[in-house]
Amino acid sequence: MSRRPQAQQPRVAVLGAGSWGTTFGKVLADGGADVTMWARRAELAHEIDEAKRNSQYLPGINLPRSMRATHHLAEALEGVEQVYLSIPSQAVRQSLKGVRPLVAKTDAPIVSLMKGVERRSGLRMSQVIEHELHCDPARIAVASGPNLALEIAREQPTAAVISSVSHETAQAVARRARNAYFRTFVNTDVIGTEFGGVLKNLIAVAIGIVDGVGYGENTKASIITRGLVEMTDFAVAQGAHPETLQGLAGLGDLIATCQSPLSRNNTAGRLLGQGYSFQDVVKQMQQTAEGLASVAPVLQLAREAGVVMPIVEQVKMVLEGTMNPRDIAPHLTTDDDTPKGERTQNGHDGGGAALWRSLQRTLDQLRDGGRRAQRDQS
């Protein structure tokens, strides 16, 4: 039986068949693309290809008939117009070595779905892609936003940001990665978009810790609010635009990840708060919690930039076993015992207005995406 896609459907590849990779493959297929998934394990590729299921990572979800899967990289990448990467951040460099010769003679955009930094180098995923694939940064895009995989696989409406230094590349990817329940916006702030996705994971671990301890909504609201300040200060110091952290890739993703039991980073933190050791948490987690691997490299970058991140510092201490999880919350809302102004945006005092404007902007974007979805269906 021929496996050639229909001529009118653009062919794309998604490398990595975990929950997020498979979900994004479904997003693309539901948007009209002919999708080939690459799975490292042959049995997983077979299940997706034949049963249109991924029972380990997306139980109960039926996948589109236009989704195919293989465990052969060359087959997955043959003739594709776009390549999406959903590989654990600490394994992506090694995985890309096999990808490089297969995409070297194409100009297909390479899209990162990953939210982590490389532990050894502190590089963002787009930087690792650029280095390993030897490709022009204008060919690389990143996707981020409030995107909990299982909710999207269930076709619950959400939105995301596609970012590239090339506005043309961002637009091309955004047009492909959208459908009736998944809307995409664009920007050219790759640094802010990527770090938003990384940093919210660290704050979500902190939320999980205090949740596991048994603290309530006041504590969690304080951490989320002060966490947004840490995220913005750090990202701006790295060259990001502060408004990016106020949008879907920052505040939007932060809210979704911190409040949902579907969040792997929230779950990992909750186990830490319940008294499990770091090693025990890793054993219990069936999927990678990127926040755990990103704490050390983010703090190293913060120190080099002169940015203070007390929440992330204390998450590190809990991970190392040098702080009792119950002791984390009282220290989170200020850097020290000296009263300070409430910085809500890039180091400036501004009361609650800036945070409210950030939240309002995110909600407006989500509502606008829903209205467009209705217009598209009418």
Side-chain angles (χ1 to χ4, degrees):
M1 179 172 130
S2 173
R3 301 178 63 82
R4 303 295 296 177
Q6 298 176 19
Q8 68 272 25
Q9 292 181 303
R11 186 172 185 185
V12 302
V14 180
L15 307 187
S19 60
W20 184 222
T22 306
T23 295
F24 214 87
K26 182 180 186 303
V27 167
L28 292 162
D30 287 340
D34 191 286
V35 179
T36 302
M37 303 290 305
W38 173 78
R40 180 176 53 84
R41 293 183 289 114
E43 61 272 21
L44 178 54
H46 180 77
E47 182 187 24
I48 295 172
D49 199 51
E50 297 296 329
K52 306 304 179 189
R53 290 289 189 103
N54 186 335
S55 56
Q56 179 179 355
Y57 295 112
L58 292 176
I61 300 297
N62 293 317
L63 301 175
R65 295 181 61 83
S66 58
M67 282 181 66
R68 298 175 173 83
T70 177
H71 71 289
H72 300 292
L73 265 176
E75 182 180 352
L77 292 169
E78 182 184 359
V80 298
E81 295 183 14
Q82 295 179 355
V83 180
Y84 293 79
L85 302 176
S86 184
I87 300 165
S89 61
Q90 306 312 314
V92 67
R93 188 179 293 271
Q94 185 60 39
S95 298
L96 288 177
K97 293 185 186 304
V99 174
R100 186 195 305 165
L102 299 173
V103 300
K105 295 182 179 179
T106 76
D107 58 359
I110 311 295
V111 187
S112 170
L113 306 177
M114 303 167 289
K115 298 180 179 180
V117 294
E118 191 173 44
R119 187 186 297 113
R120 176 175 57 84
S121 66
L123 294 177
R124 292 174 282 111
M125 292 296 98
S126 66
Q127 294 173 305
V128 176
I129 293 169
E130 179 185 349
H131 291 179
E132 283 300 320
L133 297 187
H134 301 166
C135 66
D136 186 339
R139 186 178 160 191
I140 301 170
V142 302
S144 195
N147 300 149
L148 296 165
L150 188 56
E151 289 187 3
I152 299 173
R154 291 171 176 163
E155 301 185 10
Q156 297 179 13
T158 191
V161 174
I162 307 297
S163 181
S164 174
V165 296
S166 164
H167 185 72
E168 181 180 359
T169 297
Q171 289 277 7
V173 174
R175 282 192 296 269
R176 179 56 49 221
R178 57 170 26 207
N179 57 45
Y181 58 86
F182 192 87
R183 312 310 291 172
T184 45
F185 299 82
V186 299
N187 71 39
T188 55
D189 181 15
V190 176
I191 296 173
T193 300
E194 281 195 287
F195 273 131
V198 171
L199 297 169
K200 60 85 186 181
N201 284 336
L202 312 189
I203 306 305
V205 173
I207 291 292
I209 291 172
V210 300
D211 200 26
V213 166
Y215 294 146
E217 301 307 315
N218 292 334
T219 305
K220 288 184 276 189
S222 298
I223 295 172
I224 291 173
T225 306
R226 298 305 302 170
L228 181 61
V229 173
E230 288 191 23
M231 290 169 58
T232 303
D233 286 349
F234 176 94
V236 170
Q238 301 297 324
H241 302 305
E243 58 267 24
T244 303
L245 278 298
Q246 299 168 12
L248 292 167
L251 179 60
D253 203 1
L254 178 65
I255 293 171
T257 307
C258 286
Q259 73 176 5
S260 175
L262 295 175
S263 162
R264 289 169 283 183
N265 294 283
N266 184 295
T267 299
R270 191 162 58 251
L271 291 171
L272 289 166
Q274 291 170 351
Y276 290 92
S277 69
F278 173 72
Q279 290 76 17
D280 289 338
V281 170
V282 172
K283 289 178 183 178
Q284 289 205 35
M285 298 290 292
Q286 294 185 357
Q287 301 182 60
T288 302
E290 293 285 11
L292 301 181
S294 299
V295 170
V298 163
L299 284 175
Q300 180 60 36
L301 290 171
R303 294 183 191 113
E304 292 171 358
V307 176
V308 178
M309 304 186 77
I311 296 175
V312 182
E313 288 279 5
Q314 292 182 36
V315 168
K316 179 174 182 287
M317 293 170 69
V318 172
L319 288 173
E320 293 173 341
T322 58
M323 174 179 278
N324 187 316
R326 295 195 64 84
D327 295 335
I328 189 173
H331 303 82
L332 286 175
T333 54
T334 58
D335 300 347
D336 56 41
D337 291 334
T338 304
K340 290 180 171 61
E342 185 187 14
R343 296 172 298 133
T344 56
Q345 181 179 338
N346 193 22
H348 298 296
D349 297 341
L355 181 61
W356 171 246
R357 288 194 298 271
S358 303
L359 178 60
Q360 190 64 48
R361 183 179 293 107
T362 302
L363 293 174
D364 287 345
Q365 288 180 329
L366 287 167
R367 281 196 295 266
D368 184 61
R371 285 194 295 267
R372 291 185 185 180
Q374 290 177 350
R375 289 197 300 268
D376 289 349
Q377 289 178 317
S378 61

